[in-house]
Every structure is written in C-alpha cells, then in structure tokens.
Amino acid sequence: QIDYTGTEPFSPCNKCLNVSWDSTPPCTCTINFTLDHSFESNVFMYYGLSNFYQNHRRYVKSRDDSQLNGDNSSLLNPSKECEPYRTNKDKPIAPCGAIANSMFNDTLELYRIDNNTKIPITLIKKGIAWWTDKNVKFRNPTGDGNNLTALFQGTTKPINWPKPVYMLDTEPDNNGFINEDFIVWMRTAALPTFRKLYRLIERKDSLQPTLQAGRYSLEIAYNYPVHSFDGRKRMILSTISWMGGKNPFLGIAYITVGSICFFLGVVLLIIHHRYGNRNTSADIPN
C-alpha cells in the first residue's frame, strides 16, 4: 500500500493537498517505492479511501437507476432523489446524484525503474467492473446512430466533473454510462474505509513475474480532494493465489459469528441440562 494523501510535510504530494476538483492543469506528484518480492500472477491495482462514508442513507439513494439504464425519458427528467444534483442551470445532470458527482478522478500511472530508466507498466482499464453491471444495469441512451454527444444533447455534466460523461474515454465500448471506472464507483461501499479496483496488470510471460522485485515509481495526477473531511488516499497492489485474493473481512466475520454461535450454544446447553428436567406434566400432584 502506498499512501499518497500528502498530509505529511515531507510527502511529495504535500503540494497538492488543497487541490480543487477543477484545477487546471492538475497537480502532479511522484512517489518512489520498492517491491521486496516479485508478484508472480496477475496483479490488481486498487485505489483506497478512508473516512469516506458512502453508506450514508441519503448518499446511497442519490441516483437514478432508470437514467443509468439508458431510459431516454429519465435522461432528461431525472428522479427527485438526485437533489440537489438533479439539474444545473436548468439542464438535467447526466449522471445525476451525489454518488456520481463525487466520482474518484485521480489518475495513477506505474513505472518500473531499471538503471535509472522508467519503463511504463501496462495498466488495463477494461474488465474491472462486474459483468452484470456492465451489460445489464448500466446502458447508454438509445437513438439514431451511436454518437454519444448527440444522445446526451440537452444534458449537462455533474458539477464536480471536469468533462461530460460521453468524454470519459475515447473507446465507444467504454464510454458514457458504461465506462467501467464510473460503474465501479457507483457500487457503493459498506464501510468508511474501502478500496475499489482501478486497473489490471496481466502476466504476459509464464517465465517472468508480472512485477519483478525492484524499484518502482507511482505518478499521480492529484485531482480528488480529501483533506477537507480528513480523508486519506492510497494505492494498493494485490495479487491472487490458488485460494483467491487476500480479503480478511470475510474471515473475521465468519470467526466472529461462529464464536457468538458457539458461546450461545454452550449457554443454552447449560440451561437445558440445569432446568430441562423439570416435571412438565399437567396433572396436579396429590
């Protein structure tokens, strides 16, 4: 994990701490780090946020699923649940709501340093969203042709976004409401400290590790402000084994629930043995 919030005075990202959503040009910073061990299989690159409450009731409800599913009438007349991010300057916002308005927009690039030469690591931006989200829940509006600019005509971008939703990517199958970075963000987290999948690093050579042990550089276009609510940002590199990825939450939850069930079982067993032999007959003794 690499924390790049920049609250520490010696951090390379300290100069970007008070950045705003629409800073032009964006503040950039570079953090160098070392991998002590090679990552052999496919690597998953996450961004993590702390003290960010995506589980707030009004925040979770602040979206229009019909609009996100490509319904043309909802595109121009969003749900009132999106207030106060429903319209801007008398134009409907697409996508509307607080979730979309607060979308994570830092740009992370990874380089391997070999003999003082920076070698870029290929980061794959497709395949990071759930298949059901990409192909069922999120759809672009329909109409004549596939010109997203025309399909989104009459709408405006969310207030905090630097560009409209139809300019999130240059590839048509990853643009608009079906942009995978956007889809990943819209699946809200249950806890205030969470991480979301950002990119994939695929293993290309079976004889070489995906990420060799050595020196690396993380270059950040710092756009996402978190200092105002004492939040923190981090980049996480993780890999999987034959047992899957590392996620301690389920293990902790199972152990906790199992321990509670075991304790209650022991208590009920003691109660049964102590009080379970009482005479339950309805006959009145002489």
Side-chain angles (χ1 to χ4, degrees):
Q1 297 190 33
I2 303 296
D3 189 305
Y4 67 93
T5 310
T7 52
E8 300 79 9
F10 54 83
S11 172
C13 295
N14 180 259
K15 61 182 180 179
C16 304
L17 190 60
N18 295 314
V19 70
S20 60
W21 291 90
D22 55 354
S23 296
T24 304
C27 184
T28 59
C29 57
T30 301
I31 295 181
N32 297 318
F33 64 96
T34 302
L35 286 183
D36 297 327
H37 305 284
S38 298
F39 283 27
E40 300 293 339
S41 59
N42 293 340
V43 177
F44 300 88
M45 186 178 188
Y46 298 86
Y47 60 86
L49 294 175
S50 298
N51 203 35
F52 192 108
Y53 288 83
Q54 275 199 316
N55 55 4
H56 192 284
R57 184 183 65 86
R58 291 190 62 187
Y59 181 89
V60 172
K61 293 178 62 179
S62 185
R63 59 188 292 164
D64 187 343
D65 288 320
S66 296
Q67 186 192 59
L68 298 175
N69 195 241
D71 183 76
N72 289 41
S73 60
S74 297
L75 180 68
L76 299 176
N77 186 25
S79 168
K80 292 183 179 179
E81 296 285 1
C82 289
E83 294 288 1
Y85 302 105
R86 181 172 176 264
T87 59
N88 185 25
K89 297 180 180 179
D90 296 328
K91 282 190 175 183
I93 295 176
C96 71
I99 308 176
N101 187 63
S102 60
M103 178 180 167
F104 182 83
N105 64 341
D106 282 358
T107 301
L108 308 177
E109 295 180 351
L110 189 63
Y111 297 87
R112 182 168 65 89
I113 301 176
D114 187 10
N115 294 327
N116 294 324
T117 301
K118 295 170 63 175
I119 303 173
I121 304 297
T122 302
L123 303 177
I124 300 174
K125 57 187 175 183
K126 293 184 180 179
I128 61 175
W130 291 17
W131 186 92
T132 51
D133 287 349
K134 175 78 173 180
N135 296 278
V136 179
K137 292 184 65 177
F138 291 80
R139 308 303 302 162
N140 280 325
T142 56
D144 295 335
N146 296 319
N147 188 348
L148 288 182
T149 304
L151 293 176
F152 281 96
Q153 188 175 6
T155 66
T156 186
K157 66 179 182 65
I159 297 172
N160 287 338
W161 286 26
K163 51 189 175 183
V165 68
Y166 51 83
M167 295 179 63
L168 291 179
D169 199 358
T170 56
E171 300 182 32
D173 62 342
N174 192 43
N175 205 0
F177 290 157
I178 58 173
N179 177 266
E180 297 202 26
D181 284 325
F182 172 67
I183 293 174
V184 169
W185 177 257
M186 293 299 291
R187 182 168 286 277
T188 54
L191 300 174
T193 298
F194 59 88
R195 64 181 183 180
K196 292 178 183 286
L197 187 57
Y198 180 70
R199 294 291 181 264
L200 302 175
I201 307 174
E202 290 187 347
R203 186 175 187 177
K204 298 180 179 179
D205 188 349
S206 59
L207 301 178
Q208 296 290 334
T210 308
L211 293 180
Q212 303 176 11
R215 297 168 56 210
Y216 287 83
S217 174
L218 176 66
E219 294 193 359
I220 304 139
Y222 199 113
N223 300 305
Y224 201 72
V226 296
H227 185 55
S228 60
F229 57 88
D230 295 327
R232 300 198 69 87
K233 300 189 290 187
R234 62 194 188 281
M235 184 278 296
I236 303 156
L237 293 176
S238 179
T239 187
I240 59 174
S241 65
W242 63 274
M243 295 181 65
K246 180 181 179 182
N247 187 352
F249 174 77
L250 281 179
I252 295 172
Y254 289 158
I255 292 174
T256 302
V257 174
S259 300
I260 294 173
C261 292
F262 177 78
F263 174 76
L264 292 177
V266 172
V267 171
L268 293 175
L269 181 65
I270 294 173
I271 294 174
H272 174 73
H273 277 283
R274 187 165 183 176
Y275 303 104
N277 294 327
R278 289 184 173 182
N279 186 4
T280 59
S281 174
D283 297 337
I284 300 176
N286 295 328

